[in-house]
């Protein structure tokens, strides 16, 4: 399955979005305009604008407010990626040099700030106050999720509940917001808007767990990242959390001693991965992801059968089967 299968009901709308998004990124400042054009080259699958379009279409149709919502969401998402690369010291983004690698951290931080403010002003200029409220809440959640992850990783005491809170805030919040903004741009039916918000939340949880599983099972040629890199970066995800919780105290102590040392993590990440496989962590994480996927599918029951609703179901399948 390819993401293009999901985009079929909104192919023309996504093309219109891309044209409007390119226009929104333009700047009279030559350096900003140069960086914006480079960011367009880094664009990925643009799942969030896709969710806005499908959310709008399943609720009636795509209009100007839908396009504005999609632009706002993509501006915010791109801004967070630029900032994330600075925080992580990342030198690559989707096969290209990161903004901070090319223009250094100061410019990268300012570009992220610029895109965030551009998105907020864009909504204010068009009186899209509900969209602005939704996006602002997503920014708050994303920040809180990042801080909670840093806090828990330092002490290595992250529980499954902590992990789910982190990925809910860091990943699912913006997918959920994208769906709800799309629905709100096309209908006043709060039941439908709430269903789309739940759909995005569960989809985001399933997506992130699947992404974390790829660190153990993925093909590095497809994922673009080395297997075990999460462990080397001291990123504690659900498979490892489960394995630690269900191991003997002596084994727990041994694995934790590896995780505490950057040198040991670099040398023994394969040993930790084998521990997780042996302890059933991968199977458990897959089951949890499947549970969230099923809950995402159930939220779509409030909508009549349509090409857009079928596309939202297809997106769940894509998330659960993706290999990169």
């Amino acid at each position: 399955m390819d993401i293009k299968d999901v985009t079929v009901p909104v192919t023309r709308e996504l093309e219109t979005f891309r044209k409007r998004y390119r226009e929104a990124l333009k700047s009279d400042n030559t350096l900003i305009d140069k960086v914006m054009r480079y960011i367009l080259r880094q664009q990925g699958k643009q799942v969030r604008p896709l969710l806005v379009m499908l959310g709008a279409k399943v609720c009636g149709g795509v209009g100007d407010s839908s396009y504005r919502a999609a632009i706002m969401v993509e501006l915010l998402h791109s801004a967070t990626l630029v900032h994330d690369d600075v925080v992580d010291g990342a030198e690559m983004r989707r096969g290209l040099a990161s903004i901070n690698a090319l223009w250094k951290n100061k410019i990268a931080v300012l570009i992220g700030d610029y895109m965030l403010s551009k998105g907020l002003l864009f909504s204010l200029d068009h009186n899209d106050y509900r969209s602005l409220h939704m996006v602002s809440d997503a920014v708050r959640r994303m920040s809180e999720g990042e801080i909670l992850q840093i806090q828990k990783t330092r002490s290595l005491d992250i529980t499954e509940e902590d992990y789910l809170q982190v990925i809910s805030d860091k990943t699912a919040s913006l997918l959920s917001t994208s769906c709800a903004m799309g629905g709100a741009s096309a209908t006043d039916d709060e039941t439908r808007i709430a269903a789309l918000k739940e759909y995005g939340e569960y989809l985001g949880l399933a997506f992130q767990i699947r992404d974390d599983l790829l660190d153990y099972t993925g093909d590095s040629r497809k994922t673009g990242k080395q297997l075990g890199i999460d462990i080397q970066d001291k990123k504690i995800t659900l498979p490892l959390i489960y394995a630690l919780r269900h191991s003997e105290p002596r084994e727990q102590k041994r694995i934790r001693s590896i995780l505490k040392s950057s040198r040991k993590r670099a040398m023994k990440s394969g040993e930790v991965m084998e521990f997780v496989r042996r302890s059933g962590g991968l199977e458990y994480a897959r089951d949890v992801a499947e549970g969230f996927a099923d809950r995402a599918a159930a939220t779509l029951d409030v909508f009549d059968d349509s090409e857009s609703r079928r596309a939202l179901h297809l997106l769940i399948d894509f998330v659960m089967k993706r290999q990169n």
Side-chain angles (χ1 to χ4, degrees), residues 300-315:
L300 299 176
D301 290 346
V302 302
F303 300 102
D304 296 331
D305 183 43
S306 67
E307 195 178 19
S308 297
R309 180 189 165 191
R310 290 193 293 274
L312 289 168
H313 275 290
L314 270 178
L315 185 55

Side-chain angles (χ1 to χ4, degrees), residues 196-259:
L196 284 168
K197 185 176 177 66
E198 282 194 3
Y199 168 85
E201 182 76 20
Y202 294 136
L203 181 75
L205 291 167
F207 173 90
Q208 189 57 59
I209 295 170
R210 285 289 303 169
D211 192 68
D212 292 340
L213 275 165
L214 289 176
D215 191 54
Y216 293 87
T217 64
D219 182 338
S220 59
R221 292 169 298 180
K222 293 180 180 180
T223 62
K225 69 176 187 177
Q226 174 189 343
L227 285 181
I229 197 67
D230 283 349
I231 293 168
Q232 292 182 41
D233 291 340
K234 203 179 175 183
K235 185 179 177 186
I236 315 298
T237 59
L238 187 58
L240 180 53
I241 291 169
Y242 176 88
L244 284 170
R245 192 175 72 212
H246 290 84
S247 60
E248 295 295 325
R250 186 176 176 181
E251 186 77 335
Q252 279 188 34
K253 185 177 180 181
R254 184 179 70 84
I255 296 299
R256 287 182 187 277
S257 73
I258 294 174
L259 296 173

